Amino acid sequence: MAGARERLHNLFPDLDFDPDVLREKYRKERDRRIRADGESQYIEAADAFAHYADEDPYVEPGFEREPLDLDLDVVVIGGGFSGLMTAARLKERGVNNFRLIESGGDFGGTWYWNRYPGAQCDIESYCYLPLLEETGYMPKEKYSYAPEIFEHTRRVGEYFDLYSHTTFQTRVTEVRWLEEKQRWKVSTQRNDTILTRFLIQATGPANRPKLPGIPGIADFKGHSFHTSRWEYGYTGGDHHGGLTKLHDKRVAIIGTGATAIQCVPFLGAHAQKLYVFQRTPSSVDLRGNKPTDAEWYNQQQSGWQRARRENFAAVLTGQPVVQDLVADGWTDIARRIGISLMNRRPDAGNLDMEEIMLRAEIADYQKMNEIRARVNGEVTKPDAAESLKPWYRQFCKRPTFNDEYLATFSRPNVELVDVADAKGVERITANAVVANGKAYEVDCIIFATGFEITTSAHRRVDFDTLGRNGLSLYDHWKDGFRTLHGLSSHNFPNWFTIGINQNGLSPNMTSMFDDQAIHVSHVIDAVLKSGHSIIEVSAEAEEAWVKTIIKLAGSGASSFLRDCTPGYYNREGRTSTGAGMQNAPYAPGINAFNHLLAAWRTKGDFEGMELD
Ligand code: NDP
């Protein structure tokens, strides 16, 4: 212990806080929130709660069409960025006999559904919006708002002529491998008959809203909706605000994650009374948005967008870069840690692992001290200010960035209800949200309670995938994902998925989806051209990849997440064993993963996959 303190002092002689005190505070705050029921505290937006997910407030009701009868080369399920990019990359390769099936009324996925006021992407637009060079589009600002992103998905759809390949307002109900036909059969709620050689599931990680299993949730008689199905008919206004129908309404919002941070300022500005029920505060950093400098943008050389994305990923994974091109809140902490690693004392030789971890931890405390200090500067009510301070390491939860959220709690009509001690809202009655023994009567409850992102794979999609001999994908994955490269599985011939597990992960989701789309479209195109009819991951290659993922995930990340406050990042505090490790991303990061995939393609022998 004395040695550890001496080391700390030697490395950081000017530290103005005691890391031991913070460590202990973080541990206590974490324990306050850990629940015995873990992930099962949430309920699916299904059955009695299906309307929270299945109703589409953005289309005219009553759409009907004749059932389709199709025999195709490829079906892509999902018209968000992952499906769009996959279809675009197929088209680029000249694969044209495909159909994209989408449940919404247009492209967009996340950006089709999430139209809540203030919705904005936290990832810099120059990295996030794909195909900027191809489409010649210049984003308006460094951080795009939802309508611009939604428009961009439509632009990509137009650019690649994907509208003529897409069936909207259609929910897939089952996909099944037909051995005798060597085709996938895709069933939908519209009684379509669709056969296809290849199937790509691109249903997205934030596709299914999730609800808190608060006792009495079904008893509420007022109005309620999930943030991803915002009901402007009830609130009035639009994405830019103007929620004038709330002027005489008492509103409760449950949840204070990345979504709530963005819409609470608008609710606070318009609701007669707003109660924000908070279990864990988000870390809220400066937004610092600014318009795009057209001169700078137009000077970019060909290939700049990929280079920028790779630079962003490199900074986030601590790889050395000449310049942090994005230079924002995301890269700030990662860059600081990276810099401290690179600033090795000349006499120290190679840093040992313990020192690396300590430097990272100290940089994190410094960053979070700044985040907490920011709360004091923005919130005038002392109790609310105390509750709004996050006590955990920054990447335990999704960092957020907003310049209006904190100040909203200084408004007289806005009340923060801290439900940390009770580990959540206690109960919902016909007309109230009950917390800490007190009933808060409300007219409307808005659930900002997130999505089925890390819950079991089957909860994330609302249909089954049945491979050889009727094997359900979700039985195959019952103890955790089993794939090669996160993209395909044994016993599921000609089947691929675009996703976030067992592959290179980045908070810049669109770039990872595009990289996977490039790979999957390459494989499908190559098989179509080869004259083979089936490609399937071998059992051995699948097992080897699972082992690789677990082995690489085994060190830093899992112990980091184990000590974190609960949330979906650490599967409500249960990440370090079993499926938690197996579902991890490829630990060396997205750039390393892409090099691995590129080398696999160059080798050209479909290593780990069997052709019939
Ligand atoms: P989250 O899952 O991040 O947040 C859910 C919130 O609900 C948490 O604050 C959680 O508290 C709270 N909650 C759950 N159950 C209860 C309960 N019983 N009582 C009280 N509170 C409860 O969902 P979001 O929709 O905010 O974000 C989901 C993800 O979507 C983000 O992490 C991000 O990846 C993405 N997103 C991205 C944006 C962008 O800018 N790119 C913007 C918005 C979302 P607790 O933390 O204690 O569990």
Side-chain angles (χ1 to χ4, degrees):
M1 194 64 187
R5 290 203 78 82
E6 195 182 340
R7 183 163 213 216
L8 181 77
H9 183 73
N10 288 342
L11 288 172
F12 304 98
D14 303 323
L15 218 53
D16 59 357
F17 59 88
D18 184 345
D20 283 342
V21 173
L22 282 177
R23 255 180 230 126
E24 182 55 16
K25 172 78 174 159
Y26 284 16
R27 194 190 55 73
K28 272 196 182 139
E29 292 287 334
R30 169 188 186 275
D31 291 351
R32 262 174 99 195
R33 293 171 173 89
I34 287 273
R35 288 174 50 138
D37 51 358
E39 285 179 316
S40 56
Q41 67 180 280
Y42 290 100
I43 49 176
E44 287 186 70
D47 304 323
F49 302 102
H51 59 284
Y52 284 102
D54 292 350
E55 280 173 18
D56 182 346
Y58 316 123
V59 290
E60 293 296 323
F63 170 75
E64 297 288 343
R65 64 164 171 77
E66 290 299 309
L68 302 170
D69 189 354
L70 302 169
D71 194 351
L72 301 158
D73 283 337
V74 189
V75 162
V76 180
I77 304 175
F81 270 125
S82 56
L84 260 182
M85 298 311 299
T86 308
R89 297 305 182 192
L90 284 170
K91 199 87 197 266
E92 253 180 0
R93 288 181 184 278
V95 177
N96 282 305
N97 185 22
F98 69 88
R99 189 118 211 115
L100 200 152
I101 301 176
E102 163 58 39
S103 58
D106 207 331
F107 292 125
T110 286
W111 303 104
Y112 174 85
W113 295 108
N114 286 275
R115 302 188 189 195
Y116 59 83
Q120 185 182 31
C121 184
D122 287 339
I123 303 293
E124 186 201 64
S125 59
Y126 319 124
C127 285
Y128 185 80
L129 293 180
L131 301 166
L132 289 178
E133 291 186 68
E134 290 82 345
T135 57
Y137 181 68
M138 182 181 85
K140 293 178 195 156
E141 291 160 293
K142 187 168 169 79
Y143 302 98
S144 295
Y145 284 95
E148 184 183 16
I149 306 173
F150 176 44
E151 270 317 301
H152 192 65
T153 65
R154 295 172 48 83
R155 183 176 297 110
V156 171
E158 301 276 3
Y159 182 83
F160 285 97
D161 185 25
L162 298 178
Y163 277 94
S164 62
H165 287 268
T166 304
T167 301
F168 292 108
Q169 296 194 58
T170 301
R171 276 188 185 279
V172 170
T173 51
E174 183 189 90
V175 293
R176 181 185 287 270
W177 176 249
L178 303 182
E179 201 69 61
E180 66 289 359
K181 291 193 189 318
Q182 305 215 330
R183 292 282 186 281
W184 284 95
K185 178 172 179 258
V186 180
S187 307
T188 72
Q189 103 280 29
R190 297 195 184 275
N191 300 320
D192 301 312
T193 307
I194 304 176
L195 295 180
T196 178
R197 292 181 61 185
F198 294 89
L199 185 84
I200 304 172
Q201 283 184 210
T203 46
N207 152 49
R208 299 290 297 166
K210 78 179 186 224
L211 296 165
I214 299 170
I217 182 172
D219 299 343
F220 186 61
K221 298 280 183 281
H223 205 83
S224 72
F225 56 87
H226 188 273
T227 47
S228 64
R229 307 288 186 273
W230 195 275
E231 292 188 23
Y232 285 107
Y234 179 82
T235 64
D238 59 19
H239 172 269
H240 304 287
L243 312 178
T244 51
K245 291 187 182 173
L246 295 182
H247 284 171
D248 58 352
K249 301 280 189 306
R250 299 156 302 172
V251 178
I253 182 163
I254 299 180
T256 50
T259 298
I261 301 304
Q262 295 180 336
C263 62
V264 157
F266 295 88
L267 292 170
H270 292 284
Q272 181 200 85
K273 181 80 193 178
L274 175 66
Y275 298 106
V276 181
F277 291 87
Q278 172 194 278
R279 187 165 60 188
T280 315
S282 282
S283 84
V284 188
D285 208 344
L286 276 173
R287 165 79 300 160
N289 203 3
K290 55 184 181 196
T292 303
D293 174 350
E295 200 183 326
W296 163 79
Y297 193 79
N298 292 328
Q299 277 168 6
Q300 300 300 314
Q301 305 292 313
S302 169
W304 69 268
Q305 191 177 28
R306 174 160 284 278
R308 196 171 181 92
R309 287 171 156 186
E310 288 180 359
N311 177 275
F312 181 62
V315 176
L316 291 190
T317 47
Q319 295 168 332
V321 292
V322 176
Q323 190 192 352
D324 170 6
L325 295 175
V326 173
D328 69 356
W330 282 102
T331 61
D332 182 35
I333 187 169
R335 195 182 60 229
R336 286 193 211 182
I337 295 165
I339 285 170
S340 64
L341 293 183
M342 282 179 277
N343 284 346
R344 298 168 182 201
R345 287 164 290 124
D347 60 333
N350 280 339
L351 290 177
D352 59 39
M353 204 53 209
E354 207 181 305
E355 181 172 336
I356 290 175
M357 302 299 268
L358 186 60
R359 283 182 182 276
E361 191 184 4
I362 297 299
D364 201 315
Y365 289 140
Q366 287 167 331
K367 178 77 194 173
M368 291 304 278
N369 281 343
E370 288 170 22
I371 297 279
R372 288 185 283 266
R374 197 167 167 248
V375 178
N376 288 339
E378 299 271 337
V379 184
T380 51
K381 297 176 194 165
D383 287 351
E386 241 5 77
S387 288
L388 284 161
K389 288 179 188 163
W391 298 100
Y392 48 80
R393 290 183 63 171
Q394 185 167 52
F395 285 109
C396 282
K397 284 210 175 266
R398 178 82 154 54
T400 72
F401 309 88
N402 192 285
D403 298 340
E404 288 86 32
Y405 176 75
L406 292 171
T408 302
F409 292 94
S410 300
R411 298 180 70 105
N413 64 324
V414 177
E415 186 172 335
L416 182 76
V417 185
D418 188 331
V419 295
D421 282 328
K423 302 179 199 291
V425 165
E426 193 178 309
R427 204 157 27 95
I428 291 177
T429 67
N431 65 348
V433 177
V434 182
N436 309 324
K438 181 174 167 188
Y440 296 83
E441 284 189 15
V442 291
D443 303 295
C444 172
I445 301 177
I446 301 173
F447 292 103
T449 44
F451 303 90
E452 307 273 0
I453 300 179
T454 54
T455 43
S456 82
H458 202 183
R459 281 179 66 143
R460 303 183 210 175
V461 285
D462 51 354
F463 59 87
D464 208 348
T465 298
L466 302 165
R468 288 198 196 277
N469 303 315
L471 174 68
S472 164
L473 183 66
Y474 306 104
D475 284 339
H476 187 53
W477 286 354
K478 69 179 184 316
D479 298 324
F481 280 74
R482 302 192 57 78
T483 70
L484 173 63
H485 302 150
L487 299 171
S488 198
S489 288
H490 181 60
N491 274 322
F492 295 83
N494 291 359
W495 178 91
F496 299 89
T497 184
I498 308 291
I500 60 168
N501 296 93
Q502 295 193 341
N503 46 33
L505 186 66
S506 165
N508 186 15
M509 294 270 167
T510 55
S511 71
M512 56 182 279
F513 293 153
D514 190 20
D515 292 325
Q516 293 174 36
I518 287 169
H519 188 78
V520 168
S521 62
H522 162 91
V523 176
I524 291 177
D525 185 34
V527 177
L528 284 170
K529 285 184 176 138
S530 73
H532 290 282
S533 55
I534 290 184
I535 187 161
E536 182 182 347
V537 173
S538 72
E540 298 75 30
E542 183 182 272
E543 178 62 18
W545 187 250
V546 168
K547 283 192 170 138
T548 301
I549 292 293
I550 292 174
K551 186 170 143 223
L552 292 171
S555 53
S558 65
S559 62
F560 174 87
L561 286 171
R562 191 184 50 227
D563 294 339
C564 276
T565 190
Y568 77 83
Y569 274 20
N570 66 356
R571 304 184 63 226
E572 306 300 333
R574 283 172 172 68
T575 199
S576 54
T577 53
M581 305 274 275
Q582 191 166 324
N583 293 355
Y586 179 68
I590 188 167
N591 287 347
F593 181 71
N594 286 338
H595 286 137
L596 184 143
L597 290 190
W600 187 95
R601 292 195 295 270
T602 305
K603 205 159 153 252
D605 60 356
F606 301 100
E607 187 182 347
M609 302 193 86
E610 290 162 346
L611 291 142
D612 78 343

